[in-house]
Amino acid sequence: MTGNSFAGLRIIAALVVLVRHSLIVLDDAISPFGPVGMDDLPALGLWVFFVVSGFLLPAAWERRPRLVRYVAARVLRVFPGLFVALLVTVLGIGLAATALPPGEYLGHPQTLVFLADNLTLLPNYVLPGVFESNPYPLAVNGVLWSIGPLFVLYLLVPVVGSIPLRGLRAATWSGMVVVCWLAPVLEAVDTDGIVWGNFTHDILRVGAFFSAGAAIREWRLPLRGPAALTAGSILAIVMVVVPDLTWPVAHVTVPYLLVYLGSRPIPVLRSLGRFGDPSYGIFLIGFPVQQLLIHGNPELDWIPSILCTAAVSVAFGYGLWWFVDQPIARLRLRGTRRPAAARPVAVPVP
């Protein structure tokens, strides 16, 4: 068990993402809040993933500034789990839910396109005949859009990390937070424009949270409880009194609060990571599992629906961790170990 709480924070974040998406895709009559849209509930769980990655990865690069090894580690962290989740989605969930005959579904061009697009981080949400009659129709997995921006930000870490002065690196990350916020305000970009299958405003938003996490790391900001409590209180007050300022204030207060919580050895959070980190698997599979449950039993009440989704997703997350992520991690470690230096052989002197 590590001396911090980041693994537990990620697990909770994945479950928060799952609950948020469940409330969005449930039938309006089943959801306790009635009709719920993407903008009605803050994407707090998603923010956690970006803030934590932004905070931790600059340190990883600083410890081992080797580009090939860094990129290989990020590729092995993202793509094997994504590939497994996509296969389960296509061959398990999609095959169970499609309105097409199995042979026609598997041979349909859209099935292969779904796999190819998402493996190249171009979000594609549609499988042929799948979830056509759901309350939130056709969308197979709504989280896939975020993998591309996250991976690009992963690759940005060594670019900024190659700047020799830490102050300049910190200023660069801070500048990115400001740019991500000001660009939509000043209408410098088309926020409804599409970049690699994603809305520009979504990319800027998650980019700001990742950059804020990295800026906290590079500035070496002291992490103190009273400051974290103040940050959370300020955000709560702004959300009530001046809601239009919520986003710019959240870009500063939320990352500090999350990094503080993750950096502390909080017993409850630390215990969540005792058996591994299933957060990536939960994140990847929760949306399609909930859609499948709704497809199979649209009258199921929202509480058992979400609990069943969580149970299946957690099981998948641990399976992914133990049987995919950990074997790959062990292979990586084995490949990075240097062979022991050969013992010098004594040569008799003539």
Side-chain angles (χ1 to χ4, degrees):
M1 192 182 300
T2 63
N4 59 57
S5 302
F6 285 115
L9 205 59
R10 282 193 295 264
I11 294 170
I12 291 177
L15 292 172
V16 170
V17 170
L18 182 151
V19 171
R20 176 178 182 265
H21 284 152
S22 293
L23 294 174
I24 291 170
V25 302
L26 283 167
D27 185 89
D28 295 347
I30 301 295
S31 172
F33 305 111
V36 177
M38 285 290 183
D39 294 329
D40 295 327
L41 296 173
L44 180 60
L46 190 63
W47 301 348
V48 173
F49 284 109
F50 279 83
V51 170
V52 169
S53 296
F55 180 74
L56 295 178
L57 285 182
W61 171 256
E62 188 176 310
R63 286 192 300 269
R64 266 187 196 173
R66 299 179 183 178
L67 184 60
V68 173
R69 181 172 294 177
Y70 173 87
V71 173
R74 306 286 78 78
V75 168
L76 291 174
R77 181 69 185 99
V78 170
F79 285 93
L82 177 62
F83 179 68
V84 172
L86 290 174
L87 281 184
V88 170
T89 301
V90 170
L91 300 179
I93 295 173
L95 198 57
T98 184
L100 302 178
E104 185 178 343
Y105 165 78
L106 293 173
H108 198 288
Q110 179 60 33
T111 303
L112 182 59
V113 170
F114 176 88
L115 279 171
D117 283 351
N118 288 306
L119 283 174
T120 55
L121 305 184
L122 177 64
N124 187 328
Y125 309 109
V126 180
L127 281 170
V130 177
F131 303 144
E132 290 180 334
S133 59
N134 276 30
Y136 199 87
L138 298 176
V140 174
N141 194 342
V143 307
L144 294 173
W145 75 268
S146 61
I147 308 296
L150 183 61
F151 189 73
V152 170
L153 289 164
Y154 283 175
L155 299 182
L156 192 60
V157 168
V159 176
V160 179
S162 63
I163 298 174
L165 298 178
R166 181 169 59 83
L168 288 179
R169 296 196 299 271
T172 300
W173 289 116
S174 301
M176 287 181 59
V177 176
V178 175
V179 168
C180 288
W181 170 62
L182 281 182
V185 173
L186 300 178
E187 298 182 351
V189 297
D190 179 12
T191 55
D192 291 325
I194 303 295
V195 177
W196 199 247
N198 293 312
F199 287 112
T200 307
H201 62 80
D202 288 331
I203 297 173
L204 292 173
R205 188 164 293 173
V206 294
F209 283 107
F210 185 97
S211 301
I216 291 173
R217 160 69 192 179
E218 294 291 5
W219 284 120
R220 305 294 197 270
L221 293 182
L223 301 172
R224 298 192 175 94
L229 180 60
T230 301
S233 301
I234 290 173
L235 178 62
I237 293 171
V238 168
M239 290 175 67
V240 174
V241 179
V242 195
D244 289 342
L245 294 180
T246 296
W247 282 116
V249 173
H251 290 157
V252 178
T253 56
V254 169
Y256 186 90
L257 180 59
L258 292 176
V259 170
Y260 170 79
L261 292 174
S263 301
R264 303 291 296 174
I266 301 173
V268 174
L269 291 177
R270 289 181 67 200
S271 64
L272 289 177
R274 177 175 300 174
F275 303 109
D277 184 356
S279 59
Y280 189 42
I282 297 171
F283 178 78
L284 287 174
I285 210 67
F287 194 107
V289 168
Q290 179 66 94
Q291 284 282 60
L292 181 62
L293 281 174
I294 294 170
H295 170 82
N297 189 352
E299 303 300 323
L300 185 64
D301 192 54
W302 68 279
I303 294 178
S305 183
I306 292 177
L307 289 178
C308 288
T309 301
V312 173
S313 301
V314 168
F316 175 83
Y318 276 112
L320 192 68
W321 172 261
W322 285 113
F323 300 110
V324 178
D325 292 339
Q326 284 305 287
I328 289 175
R330 285 192 290 269
L331 286 175
R332 281 173 44 206
L333 288 174
R334 191 179 304 168
T336 57
R337 287 175 185 156
R338 296 180 179 178
R343 185 173 297 174
V345 178
V347 179
V349 179

